[in-house]
Amino acid sequence: MENGFSNLSRRTFLKTGGALGALAVAGGGLAATDALFGEGVAEAHAEMQEKVTWGHCAINCPSRCPLKFHVKNDEIVWVDTDTSSDADFDDHQARACLRGRTYRRWMNSPDRLSYPLKRVGKRGEGKFERISWDEAIDTIASELKRIIDAYGNEAVYIAYATGVEGVTTGQPFQRLLNLCGGFLDSYGSYSAGQLAYMQGTIFGTAGGGSALKTAEDAELVLVFGSSPTETRQGGLHTHYDFVQLREKTKGKIILIDPRFNDSITGHSDQWPPINPGTDAALVAAIAHELIKKDLVDVDFLHKYCSGFDEESMPEELRGKHLSYKDYVLGTGYDMTEKTPEWAAPITGISPDTIRQLAQEIATASPLYVVQGWGPQRRSNGEWNFWAICLLPFLVGQVGKPGTNNGNRESRFSVPLSNFPSGKNPVKASISCFLFTDAIDHGVDMTATKDGVRGAARLSSNIKFMVNYAGNCLTNQHSDINKAHDILSDESKCEFILGFDTVMCDSAKYSDILLPDLFRSEQVSLASTGSNTAYIVTAQPCTSPKFERKTAYDVCAMLAEKLGVKDEFTQGKTQEEWIRSLYEADQEKDGKLPPYDELMKAGTYKRESPGAIAMKKFIADPEGTQIGTPSGKFEIYSQKIAEAIDTWEFAEGEIVLPIPAYIPEWHGVETVTDEHPLALMGFHYRGRIHSSWGSIDALKEVNPQEVWINPADAAARGIVSGDKVRVRNEFGEMEISAKVTPRIVPGTVAMAQGAWHDADMFGDRIDKGGCINTLTTQRPSPLSKSNPQHSNICEVAKA
């Protein structure tokens, strides 16, 4: 360089920044700097000054916290969040958690993908070679054409993935494939598939829960299987709202969970430890107490519910002892009275505690009953969810200030439009959890046996799969060993396109693997919220590094190769789509700021009025159509009764049309001599699912361990820190033990989402502590969803 800086290292040049800045200010700014050091140096100096850009999390955490990226020389120096030194105590700030603040480590991870890759080893080995973008696009397009020609569009599938959850342009492959004739769609989620099915079944269109803000007026807040301070961290979502609830409510908070979780510690008044998967048994025993002591609000149940007793049953079913009351009192179904003494050995909660809970539930007004997604993510999850929702109806505590309908809390957000996907010409869809079945034997999957929707059966196995921003091919999918066997067989799914930021476990099964940009490395927009709604924005914090590209741009390249580019882009860039969609929303909303103002501000916030579940229906049940067969909340489900008569269930499957307790296939009542412990997962502060699973700094402060009660540990000679083997019929892992009374006896627990680390062509023993080494691919019976908390195992010193 003519200016004499050619031999300066980057570090030396950074150190000169302060002196150059002082000279520039003292001597007249950039012109003076040019005069002193030569033309162009001022611009170089300006480049070296720290710039700050807004970004946001975009993974499967609904907090989606805003981030501030501090950048020098086109490199991230550090990451801040929504903070202000002059903010008042009541000023709501969406401050990112520890995970969000480590984005720099993730974006600069040694696992980061930088170039298009082609697989050269076996699927799952993780062996790839670098190729050009032209070769990658040509290969993907030609394989898509070949498979559609050979098998039809129903052979094309987009895998369930949540890596870019909730952003405006997060799902461009749906639009691309719809323009090419469509694809096999999916329904449900790994998070709450059972809940979604049952919510529509028993509530119809009136199933959403109350806001957490509503619970501030409750006399009793009863929480089942939830830990907001762990599952949804970040400064302005349910973590913040739950902590604020503790400070504002004058009521009592009782949190029922198998684990003494972090939302109990310092945030709740009582912890009745319950055996996992037995929530419906507890509810039945509470109902027994309420019925026997005449504490049930029968008038409320008759007015708003169907199926509690003979009088509220569908007319044609009366006199057959099919009501929930018959089940509880032992005059129907299994003919067993559901007393607290009956429930105690099942739930692990004493009869006296059950009676105390029943009394508090009966006398509390308002009563706010809420549940997390843990109780429903089980083999009997549909019934757990249903039973918990029944509790507040039994005592008439629904639709009023300070109450909830038993569902998970609702979240308030500003609705924003997403990139339009268009109409899918393919009508068939499957449960997202059953994609490996659809690869292996899709043509045998039917509507009545496997939950196929939109068609009586599938016409093809899955032959072409897109896995964009997801780790659910293996790591987050059940029974990794079985998933590996299906995915590694190239005669089954003939082509897998992977597209991600890092080389996660699922990415290793790609035939072509593409390098993505984080949402904070491109223009982005997302809307979220809880008690407070907020919109977060992103501008590229750095220039695109190496050969990474946005998913929108890659889909546009593929669209050009497939002859549908004009229809895909409509002449717009990604940012132009984001702007135009937002401006259309702004015109409808009237309160939103202009696009440029929003992008500069980084965030936009709006307070929630505080939703009350079923308020409209309770106020006017005759004039409010909710779409259930009875027009009411269904305690006896006619839809499920019909499914019992017409569907094909697995041998020995128990399916009942009321919210009964059904023992799990793999649970506390079905342990064996070989596998005498129940095993459950939980969400962890160090990760959201598998996101951040490779960040060493987070793993150091959030070590992956299996929690085991001291009684179970002593019987096995295990102390904290011991390496142990956890095994069952599906697999085996090696992990550190944490001996703690914070987990109920007879059950062990580990945080889900740890990165799978096993030699899949050798002993297959997982050293990463991924719980899906030990879970089953058998779906729950009604929703065909993920039962990943229903497991049994044995633990022994390694």
Side-chain angles (χ1 to χ4, degrees), residues 195 198-199 202-203 207 224 283 369 371 383-394 397-398 404-408 614 633 659:
L195 179 153
M198 291 306 298
Q199 180 172 292
I202 63 176
F203 288 113
F224 285 82
V283 172
V369 179
Q371 62 181 296
W383 290 269
N384 285 332
F385 170 78
W386 195 357
I388 294 167
C389 289
L390 170 62
L391 260 184
F393 284 90
L394 291 174
Q397 292 290 316
V398 178
N404 187 30
N405 61 355
N407 201 345
R408 185 154 196 169
M614 304 187 79
F633 172 72

PDB file of all heavy atoms in Angstrom, residues 195 198-199 202-203 207 224 283 369 371 383-394 397-398 404-408 614 633 659:
ATOM      1  N   LEU A 195     -51.164 -32.121  22.435  1.00  0.00           N
ATOM      2  CA  LEU A 195     -51.962 -30.967  22.838  1.00  0.00           C
ATOM      3  C   LEU A 195     -52.763 -30.425  21.662  1.00  0.00           C
ATOM      4  O   LEU A 195     -53.962 -30.145  21.793  1.00  0.00           O
ATOM      5  CB  LEU A 195     -51.049 -29.889  23.419  1.00  0.00           C
ATOM      6  CG  LEU A 195     -51.668 -28.581  23.891  1.00  0.00           C
ATOM      7  CD1 LEU A 195     -50.811 -27.957  24.997  1.00  0.00           C
ATOM      8  CD2 LEU A 195     -51.827 -27.562  22.768  1.00  0.00           C
ATOM      9  N   MET A 198     -55.726 -32.695  20.836  1.00  0.00           N
ATOM     10  CA  MET A 198     -56.764 -32.698  21.861  1.00  0.00           C
ATOM     11  C   MET A 198     -57.421 -31.329  22.009  1.00  0.00           C
ATOM     12  O   MET A 198     -58.616 -31.233  22.313  1.00  0.00           O
ATOM     13  CB  MET A 198     -56.190 -33.153  23.202  1.00  0.00           C
ATOM     14  CG  MET A 198     -55.794 -34.618  23.242  1.00  0.00           C
ATOM     15  SD  MET A 198     -57.131 -35.738  22.755  1.00  0.00           S
ATOM     16  CE  MET A 198     -58.348 -35.394  24.022  1.00  0.00           C
ATOM     17  N   GLN A 199     -56.677 -30.287  21.796  1.00  0.00           N
ATOM     18  CA  GLN A 199     -57.260 -28.949  21.909  1.00  0.00           C
ATOM     19  C   GLN A 199     -58.408 -28.792  20.922  1.00  0.00           C
ATOM     20  O   GLN A 199     -59.494 -28.324  21.278  1.00  0.00           O
ATOM     21  CB  GLN A 199     -56.190 -27.887  21.653  1.00  0.00           C
ATOM     22  CG  GLN A 199     -56.689 -26.460  21.751  1.00  0.00           C
ATOM     23  CD  GLN A 199     -55.567 -25.451  21.677  1.00  0.00           C
ATOM     24  OE1 GLN A 199     -54.731 -25.349  22.571  1.00  0.00           O
ATOM     25  NE2 GLN A 199     -55.521 -24.691  20.599  1.00  0.00           N
ATOM     26  N   ILE A 202     -61.460 -31.368  22.101  1.00  0.00           N
ATOM     27  CA  ILE A 202     -62.301 -31.123  23.286  1.00  0.00           C
ATOM     28  C   ILE A 202     -62.758 -29.674  23.422  1.00  0.00           C
ATOM     29  O   ILE A 202     -63.806 -29.409  24.019  1.00  0.00           O
ATOM     30  CB  ILE A 202     -61.580 -31.569  24.576  1.00  0.00           C
ATOM     31  CG1 ILE A 202     -60.297 -30.767  24.821  1.00  0.00           C
ATOM     32  CG2 ILE A 202     -61.273 -33.060  24.524  1.00  0.00           C
ATOM     33  CD1 ILE A 202     -59.578 -31.097  26.124  1.00  0.00           C
ATOM     34  N   PHE A 203     -61.984 -28.726  22.880  1.00  0.00           N
ATOM     35  CA  PHE A 203     -62.358 -27.318  22.957  1.00  0.00           C
ATOM     36  C   PHE A 203     -62.939 -26.787  21.650  1.00  0.00           C
ATOM     37  O   PHE A 203     -63.532 -25.717  21.643  1.00  0.00           O
ATOM     38  CB  PHE A 203     -61.132 -26.450  23.293  1.00  0.00           C
ATOM     39  CG  PHE A 203     -60.630 -26.579  24.702  1.00  0.00           C
ATOM     40  CD1 PHE A 203     -59.390 -27.140  24.958  1.00  0.00           C
ATOM     41  CD2 PHE A 203     -61.371 -26.117  25.772  1.00  0.00           C
ATOM     42  CE1 PHE A 203     -58.898 -27.234  26.253  1.00  0.00           C
ATOM     43  CE2 PHE A 203     -60.890 -26.203  27.077  1.00  0.00           C
ATOM     44  CZ  PHE A 203     -59.654 -26.773  27.316  1.00  0.00           C
ATOM     45  N   GLY A 207     -59.958 -23.168  22.418  1.00  0.00           N
ATOM     46  CA  GLY A 207     -59.019 -23.851  23.294  1.00  0.00           C
ATOM     47  C   GLY A 207     -57.858 -23.062  23.828  1.00  0.00           C
ATOM     48  O   GLY A 207     -57.147 -23.534  24.699  1.00  0.00           O
ATOM     49  N   PHE A 224     -48.901 -27.644  36.249  1.00  0.00           N
ATOM     50  CA  PHE A 224     -48.515 -29.026  35.986  1.00  0.00           C
ATOM     51  C   PHE A 224     -47.391 -29.062  34.941  1.00  0.00           C
ATOM     52  O   PHE A 224     -47.538 -28.536  33.832  1.00  0.00           O
ATOM     53  CB  PHE A 224     -49.703 -29.824  35.419  1.00  0.00           C
ATOM     54  CG  PHE A 224     -50.759 -30.208  36.405  1.00  0.00           C
ATOM     55  CD1 PHE A 224     -51.742 -29.307  36.784  1.00  0.00           C
ATOM     56  CD2 PHE A 224     -50.792 -31.492  36.944  1.00  0.00           C
ATOM     57  CE1 PHE A 224     -52.732 -29.668  37.686  1.00  0.00           C
ATOM     58  CE2 PHE A 224     -51.773 -31.864  37.856  1.00  0.00           C
ATOM     59  CZ  PHE A 224     -52.746 -30.947  38.226  1.00  0.00           C
ATOM     60  N   VAL A 283     -55.637 -36.302  38.788  1.00  0.00           N
ATOM     61  CA  VAL A 283     -56.873 -35.556  38.551  1.00  0.00           C
ATOM     62  C   VAL A 283     -58.089 -36.405  38.912  1.00  0.00           C
ATOM     63  O   VAL A 283     -59.052 -35.915  39.522  1.00  0.00           O
ATOM     64  CB  VAL A 283     -56.939 -35.076  37.089  1.00  0.00           C
ATOM     65  CG1 VAL A 283     -58.312 -34.478  36.785  1.00  0.00           C
ATOM     66  CG2 VAL A 283     -55.854 -34.046  36.813  1.00  0.00           C
ATOM     67  N   VAL A 369     -55.408 -22.776  36.559  1.00  0.00           N
ATOM     68  CA  VAL A 369     -54.745 -24.053  36.298  1.00  0.00           C
ATOM     69  C   VAL A 369     -54.049 -23.964  34.943  1.00  0.00           C
ATOM     70  O   VAL A 369     -54.666 -23.568  33.945  1.00  0.00           O
ATOM     71  CB  VAL A 369     -55.747 -25.225  36.289  1.00  0.00           C
ATOM     72  CG1 VAL A 369     -55.033 -26.541  35.994  1.00  0.00           C
ATOM     73  CG2 VAL A 369     -56.474 -25.311  37.631  1.00  0.00           C
ATOM     74  N   GLN A 371     -50.693 -25.787  32.363  1.00  0.00           N
ATOM     75  CA  GLN A 371     -49.747 -26.892  32.180  1.00  0.00           C
ATOM     76  C   GLN A 371     -48.698 -26.541  31.140  1.00  0.00           C
ATOM     77  O   GLN A 371     -48.922 -25.740  30.230  1.00  0.00           O
ATOM     78  CB  GLN A 371     -50.474 -28.160  31.751  1.00  0.00           C
ATOM     79  CG  GLN A 371     -51.213 -28.090  30.432  1.00  0.00           C
ATOM     80  CD  GLN A 371     -51.936 -29.385  30.102  1.00  0.00           C
ATOM     81  OE1 GLN A 371     -51.317 -30.426  29.903  1.00  0.00           O
ATOM     82  NE2 GLN A 371     -53.261 -29.321  30.041  1.00  0.00           N
ATOM     83  N   TRP A 383     -54.403 -37.934  27.106  1.00  0.00           N
ATOM     84  CA  TRP A 383     -55.254 -38.024  28.297  1.00  0.00           C
ATOM     85  C   TRP A 383     -54.728 -37.182  29.450  1.00  0.00           C
ATOM     86  O   TRP A 383     -55.513 -36.639  30.221  1.00  0.00           O
ATOM     87  CB  TRP A 383     -55.427 -39.493  28.680  1.00  0.00           C
ATOM     88  CG  TRP A 383     -56.273 -40.204  27.670  1.00  0.00           C
ATOM     89  CD1 TRP A 383     -57.628 -40.363  27.678  1.00  0.00           C
ATOM     90  CD2 TRP A 383     -55.810 -40.833  26.472  1.00  0.00           C
ATOM     91  NE1 TRP A 383     -58.042 -41.047  26.555  1.00  0.00           N
ATOM     92  CE2 TRP A 383     -56.947 -41.357  25.794  1.00  0.00           C
ATOM     93  CE3 TRP A 383     -54.556 -41.013  25.884  1.00  0.00           C
ATOM     94  CZ2 TRP A 383     -56.864 -42.035  24.582  1.00  0.00           C
ATOM     95  CZ3 TRP A 383     -54.468 -41.685  24.668  1.00  0.00           C
ATOM     96  CH2 TRP A 383     -55.620 -42.182  24.028  1.00  0.00           C
ATOM     97  N   ASN A 384     -53.418 -37.059  29.577  1.00  0.00           N
ATOM     98  CA  ASN A 384     -52.870 -36.159  30.597  1.00  0.00           C
ATOM     99  C   ASN A 384     -53.321 -34.722  30.343  1.00  0.00           C
ATOM    100  O   ASN A 384     -53.764 -34.017  31.250  1.00  0.00           O
ATOM    101  CB  ASN A 384     -51.337 -36.219  30.608  1.00  0.00           C
ATOM    102  CG  ASN A 384     -50.803 -37.483  31.241  1.00  0.00           C
ATOM    103  OD1 ASN A 384     -51.438 -38.077  32.098  1.00  0.00           O
ATOM    104  ND2 ASN A 384     -49.631 -37.904  30.817  1.00  0.00           N
ATOM    105  N   PHE A 385     -53.161 -34.289  29.102  1.00  0.00           N
ATOM    106  CA  PHE A 385     -53.576 -32.923  28.744  1.00  0.00           C
ATOM    107  C   PHE A 385     -55.057 -32.714  29.042  1.00  0.00           C
ATOM    108  O   PHE A 385     -55.464 -31.723  29.661  1.00  0.00           O
ATOM    109  CB  PHE A 385     -53.307 -32.671  27.264  1.00  0.00           C
ATOM    110  CG  PHE A 385     -53.919 -31.393  26.747  1.00  0.00           C
ATOM    111  CD1 PHE A 385     -53.323 -30.168  27.006  1.00  0.00           C
ATOM    112  CD2 PHE A 385     -55.100 -31.410  26.015  1.00  0.00           C
ATOM    113  CE1 PHE A 385     -53.896 -28.985  26.545  1.00  0.00           C
ATOM    114  CE2 PHE A 385     -55.681 -30.239  25.555  1.00  0.00           C
ATOM    115  CZ  PHE A 385     -55.075 -29.023  25.812  1.00  0.00           C
ATOM    116  N   TRP A 386     -55.878 -33.648  28.616  1.00  0.00           N
ATOM    117  CA  TRP A 386     -57.324 -33.575  28.767  1.00  0.00           C
ATOM    118  C   TRP A 386     -57.724 -33.497  30.243  1.00  0.00           C
ATOM    119  O   TRP A 386     -58.552 -32.668  30.639  1.00  0.00           O
ATOM    120  CB  TRP A 386     -57.909 -34.820  28.106  1.00  0.00           C
ATOM    121  CG  TRP A 386     -59.362 -34.854  27.819  1.00  0.00           C
ATOM    122  CD1 TRP A 386     -60.311 -33.914  28.109  1.00  0.00           C
ATOM    123  CD2 TRP A 386     -60.038 -35.921  27.157  1.00  0.00           C
ATOM    124  NE1 TRP A 386     -61.542 -34.327  27.667  1.00  0.00           N
ATOM    125  CE2 TRP A 386     -61.403 -35.557  27.071  1.00  0.00           C
ATOM    126  CE3 TRP A 386     -59.627 -37.151  26.632  1.00  0.00           C
ATOM    127  CZ2 TRP A 386     -62.352 -36.401  26.488  1.00  0.00           C
ATOM    128  CZ3 TRP A 386     -60.571 -37.975  26.034  1.00  0.00           C
ATOM    129  CH2 TRP A 386     -61.913 -37.599  25.962  1.00  0.00           C
ATOM    130  N   ALA A 387     -57.125 -34.354  31.059  1.00  0.00           N
ATOM    131  CA  ALA A 387     -57.475 -34.396  32.482  1.00  0.00           C
ATOM    132  C   ALA A 387     -57.120 -33.092  33.186  1.00  0.00           C
ATOM    133  O   ALA A 387     -57.900 -32.570  34.005  1.00  0.00           O
ATOM    134  CB  ALA A 387     -56.759 -35.569  33.153  1.00  0.00           C
ATOM    135  N   ILE A 388     -55.953 -32.549  32.899  1.00  0.00           N
ATOM    136  CA  ILE A 388     -55.547 -31.294  33.538  1.00  0.00           C
ATOM    137  C   ILE A 388     -56.511 -30.172  33.142  1.00  0.00           C
ATOM    138  O   ILE A 388     -56.898 -29.342  33.973  1.00  0.00           O
ATOM    139  CB  ILE A 388     -54.086 -30.946  33.174  1.00  0.00           C
ATOM    140  CG1 ILE A 388     -53.127 -31.990  33.769  1.00  0.00           C
ATOM    141  CG2 ILE A 388     -53.717 -29.556  33.674  1.00  0.00           C
ATOM    142  CD1 ILE A 388     -51.713 -31.926  33.212  1.00  0.00           C
ATOM    143  N   CYS A 389     -56.919 -30.162  31.868  1.00  0.00           N
ATOM    144  CA  CYS A 389     -57.874 -29.151  31.418  1.00  0.00           C
ATOM    145  C   CYS A 389     -59.229 -29.311  32.107  1.00  0.00           C
ATOM    146  O   CYS A 389     -59.960 -28.326  32.296  1.00  0.00           O
ATOM    147  CB  CYS A 389     -58.056 -29.226  29.900  1.00  0.00           C
ATOM    148  SG  CYS A 389     -56.625 -28.655  28.961  1.00  0.00           S
ATOM    149  N   LEU A 390     -59.585 -30.525  32.486  1.00  0.00           N
ATOM    150  CA  LEU A 390     -60.866 -30.772  33.146  1.00  0.00           C
ATOM    151  C   LEU A 390     -60.942 -30.122  34.532  1.00  0.00           C
ATOM    152  O   LEU A 390     -62.013 -29.672  34.956  1.00  0.00           O
ATOM    153  CB  LEU A 390     -61.092 -32.283  33.254  1.00  0.00           C
ATOM    154  CG  LEU A 390     -62.266 -32.767  34.116  1.00  0.00           C
ATOM    155  CD1 LEU A 390     -63.598 -32.252  33.557  1.00  0.00           C
ATOM    156  CD2 LEU A 390     -62.263 -34.286  34.215  1.00  0.00           C
ATOM    157  N   LEU A 391     -59.821 -30.071  35.251  1.00  0.00           N
ATOM    158  CA  LEU A 391     -59.839 -29.635  36.655  1.00  0.00           C
ATOM    159  C   LEU A 391     -60.587 -28.323  36.896  1.00  0.00           C
ATOM    160  O   LEU A 391     -61.479 -28.261  37.761  1.00  0.00           O
ATOM    161  CB  LEU A 391     -58.411 -29.523  37.185  1.00  0.00           C
ATOM    162  CG  LEU A 391     -57.869 -30.666  38.034  1.00  0.00           C
ATOM    163  CD1 LEU A 391     -56.484 -30.335  38.539  1.00  0.00           C
ATOM    164  CD2 LEU A 391     -58.798 -30.965  39.211  1.00  0.00           C
ATOM    165  N   PRO A 392     -60.255 -27.244  36.192  1.00  0.00           N
ATOM    166  CA  PRO A 392     -60.957 -25.987  36.507  1.00  0.00           C
ATOM    167  C   PRO A 392     -62.442 -26.020  36.152  1.00  0.00           C
ATOM    168  O   PRO A 392     -63.244 -25.301  36.768  1.00  0.00           O
ATOM    169  CB  PRO A 392     -60.207 -24.936  35.676  1.00  0.00           C
ATOM    170  CG  PRO A 392     -59.566 -25.711  34.566  1.00  0.00           C
ATOM    171  CD  PRO A 392     -59.224 -27.034  35.158  1.00  0.00           C
ATOM    172  N   PHE A 393     -62.842 -26.864  35.188  1.00  0.00           N
ATOM    173  CA  PHE A 393     -64.266 -26.984  34.859  1.00  0.00           C
ATOM    174  C   PHE A 393     -65.035 -27.635  36.012  1.00  0.00           C
ATOM    175  O   PHE A 393     -66.195 -27.297  36.258  1.00  0.00           O
ATOM    176  CB  PHE A 393     -64.437 -27.810  33.582  1.00  0.00           C
ATOM    177  CG  PHE A 393     -64.106 -27.064  32.320  1.00  0.00           C
ATOM    178  CD1 PHE A 393     -62.826 -27.081  31.802  1.00  0.00           C
ATOM    179  CD2 PHE A 393     -65.074 -26.337  31.644  1.00  0.00           C
ATOM    180  CE1 PHE A 393     -62.506 -26.396  30.648  1.00  0.00           C
ATOM    181  CE2 PHE A 393     -64.767 -25.641  30.478  1.00  0.00           C
ATOM    182  CZ  PHE A 393     -63.482 -25.666  29.978  1.00  0.00           C
ATOM    183  N   LEU A 394     -64.390 -28.561  36.700  1.00  0.00           N
ATOM    184  CA  LEU A 394     -65.068 -29.253  37.797  1.00  0.00           C
ATOM    185  C   LEU A 394     -65.547 -28.295  38.881  1.00  0.00           C
ATOM    186  O   LEU A 394     -66.561 -28.550  39.540  1.00  0.00           O
ATOM    187  CB  LEU A 394     -64.138 -30.305  38.410  1.00  0.00           C
ATOM    188  CG  LEU A 394     -63.801 -31.526  37.546  1.00  0.00           C
ATOM    189  CD1 LEU A 394     -62.757 -32.402  38.240  1.00  0.00           C
ATOM    190  CD2 LEU A 394     -65.055 -32.340  37.230  1.00  0.00           C
ATOM    191  N   GLN A 397     -64.320 -22.766  37.424  1.00  0.00           N
ATOM    192  CA  GLN A 397     -63.323 -21.691  37.399  1.00  0.00           C
ATOM    193  C   GLN A 397     -62.724 -21.550  35.998  1.00  0.00           C
ATOM    194  O   GLN A 397     -61.530 -21.757  35.780  1.00  0.00           O
ATOM    195  CB  GLN A 397     -62.238 -21.962  38.441  1.00  0.00           C
ATOM    196  CG  GLN A 397     -62.715 -21.857  39.878  1.00  0.00           C
ATOM    197  CD  GLN A 397     -63.016 -20.414  40.266  1.00  0.00           C
ATOM    198  OE1 GLN A 397     -62.263 -19.496  39.952  1.00  0.00           O
ATOM    199  NE2 GLN A 397     -64.122 -20.208  40.944  1.00  0.00           N
ATOM    200  N   VAL A 398     -63.568 -21.189  35.051  1.00  0.00           N
ATOM    201  CA  VAL A 398     -63.146 -20.973  33.660  1.00  0.00           C
ATOM    202  C   VAL A 398     -63.889 -19.758  33.125  1.00  0.00           C
ATOM    203  O   VAL A 398     -65.072 -19.549  33.447  1.00  0.00           O
ATOM    204  CB  VAL A 398     -63.455 -22.202  32.777  1.00  0.00           C
ATOM    205  CG1 VAL A 398     -63.054 -21.939  31.322  1.00  0.00           C
ATOM    206  CG2 VAL A 398     -62.761 -23.450  33.294  1.00  0.00           C
ATOM    207  N   ASN A 404     -58.054 -19.864  34.150  1.00  0.00           N
ATOM    208  CA  ASN A 404     -57.573 -20.436  32.886  1.00  0.00           C
ATOM    209  C   ASN A 404     -58.340 -21.735  32.648  1.00  0.00           C
ATOM    210  O   ASN A 404     -58.965 -22.279  33.562  1.00  0.00           O
ATOM    211  CB  ASN A 404     -56.062 -20.700  32.955  1.00  0.00           C
ATOM    212  CG  ASN A 404     -55.477 -21.133  31.617  1.00  0.00           C
ATOM    213  OD1 ASN A 404     -55.967 -20.742  30.566  1.00  0.00           O
ATOM    214  ND2 ASN A 404     -54.435 -21.944  31.654  1.00  0.00           N
ATOM    215  N   ASN A 405     -58.282 -22.227  31.435  1.00  0.00           N
ATOM    216  CA  ASN A 405     -58.989 -23.470  31.088  1.00  0.00           C
ATOM    217  C   ASN A 405     -58.109 -24.709  31.197  1.00  0.00           C
ATOM    218  O   ASN A 405     -58.463 -25.770  30.688  1.00  0.00           O
ATOM    219  CB  ASN A 405     -59.573 -23.372  29.681  1.00  0.00           C
ATOM    220  CG  ASN A 405     -58.502 -23.176  28.614  1.00  0.00           C
ATOM    221  OD1 ASN A 405     -57.320 -23.029  28.927  1.00  0.00           O
ATOM    222  ND2 ASN A 405     -58.906 -23.156  27.358  1.00  0.00           N
ATOM    223  N   GLY A 406     -56.958 -24.590  31.860  1.00  0.00           N
ATOM    224  CA  GLY A 406     -56.074 -25.734  32.049  1.00  0.00           C
ATOM    225  C   GLY A 406     -55.033 -25.902  30.976  1.00  0.00           C
ATOM    226  O   GLY A 406     -54.078 -26.667  31.142  1.00  0.00           O
ATOM    227  N   ASN A 407     -55.199 -25.221  29.850  1.00  0.00           N
ATOM    228  CA  ASN A 407     -54.244 -25.287  28.745  1.00  0.00           C
ATOM    229  C   ASN A 407     -52.992 -24.489  29.105  1.00  0.00           C
ATOM    230  O   ASN A 407     -52.947 -23.789  30.119  1.00  0.00           O
ATOM    231  CB  ASN A 407     -54.895 -24.723  27.486  1.00  0.00           C
ATOM    232  CG  ASN A 407     -54.221 -25.204  26.201  1.00  0.00           C
ATOM    233  OD1 ASN A 407     -53.115 -25.733  26.219  1.00  0.00           O
ATOM    234  ND2 ASN A 407     -54.905 -25.021  25.096  1.00  0.00           N
ATOM    235  N   ARG A 408     -51.973 -24.601  28.241  1.00  0.00           N
ATOM    236  CA  ARG A 408     -50.797 -23.759  28.428  1.00  0.00           C
ATOM    237  C   ARG A 408     -51.190 -22.299  28.264  1.00  0.00           C
ATOM    238  O   ARG A 408     -52.123 -21.965  27.532  1.00  0.00           O
ATOM    239  CB  ARG A 408     -49.707 -24.126  27.420  1.00  0.00           C
ATOM    240  CG  ARG A 408     -48.426 -23.345  27.658  1.00  0.00           C
ATOM    241  CD  ARG A 408     -47.196 -24.036  27.159  1.00  0.00           C
ATOM    242  NE  ARG A 408     -46.016 -23.424  27.750  1.00  0.00           N
ATOM    243  CZ  ARG A 408     -44.789 -23.929  27.670  1.00  0.00           C
ATOM    244  NH1 ARG A 408     -44.589 -25.063  27.041  1.00  0.00           N
ATOM    245  NH2 ARG A 408     -43.777 -23.326  28.229  1.00  0.00           N
ATOM    246  N   MET A 614     -61.680 -18.643  27.095  1.00  0.00           N
ATOM    247  CA  MET A 614     -63.091 -19.005  26.951  1.00  0.00           C
ATOM    248  C   MET A 614     -64.051 -17.969  27.525  1.00  0.00           C
ATOM    249  O   MET A 614     -65.210 -18.267  27.830  1.00  0.00           O
ATOM    250  CB  MET A 614     -63.361 -20.387  27.562  1.00  0.00           C
ATOM    251  CG  MET A 614     -62.481 -21.478  26.984  1.00  0.00           C
ATOM    252  SD  MET A 614     -62.905 -23.135  27.522  1.00  0.00           S
ATOM    253  CE  MET A 614     -64.324 -23.496  26.468  1.00  0.00           C
ATOM    254  N   PHE A 633     -67.504 -27.927  25.890  1.00  0.00           N
ATOM    255  CA  PHE A 633     -66.255 -28.609  26.260  1.00  0.00           C
ATOM    256  C   PHE A 633     -66.561 -30.092  26.449  1.00  0.00           C
ATOM    257  O   PHE A 633     -67.490 -30.459  27.181  1.00  0.00           O
ATOM    258  CB  PHE A 633     -65.699 -28.016  27.550  1.00  0.00           C
ATOM    259  CG  PHE A 633     -64.523 -28.769  28.116  1.00  0.00           C
ATOM    260  CD1 PHE A 633     -63.279 -28.720  27.503  1.00  0.00           C
ATOM    261  CD2 PHE A 633     -64.654 -29.541  29.263  1.00  0.00           C
ATOM    262  CE1 PHE A 633     -62.192 -29.417  28.028  1.00  0.00           C
ATOM    263  CE2 PHE A 633     -63.576 -30.231  29.794  1.00  0.00           C
ATOM    264  CZ  PHE A 633     -62.338 -30.174  29.165  1.00  0.00           C
ATOM    265  N   PRO A 659     -61.199 -38.451  29.865  1.00  0.00           N
ATOM    266  CA  PRO A 659     -59.829 -38.151  30.328  1.00  0.00           C
ATOM    267  C   PRO A 659     -59.374 -39.070  31.465  1.00  0.00           C
ATOM    268  O   PRO A 659     -59.089 -38.647  32.585  1.00  0.00           O
ATOM    269  CB  PRO A 659     -59.926 -36.696  30.779  1.00  0.00           C
ATOM    270  CG  PRO A 659     -61.353 -36.510  31.145  1.00  0.00           C
ATOM    271  CD  PRO A 659     -62.139 -37.365  30.207  1.00  0.00           C
TER     272      PRO A 659
END
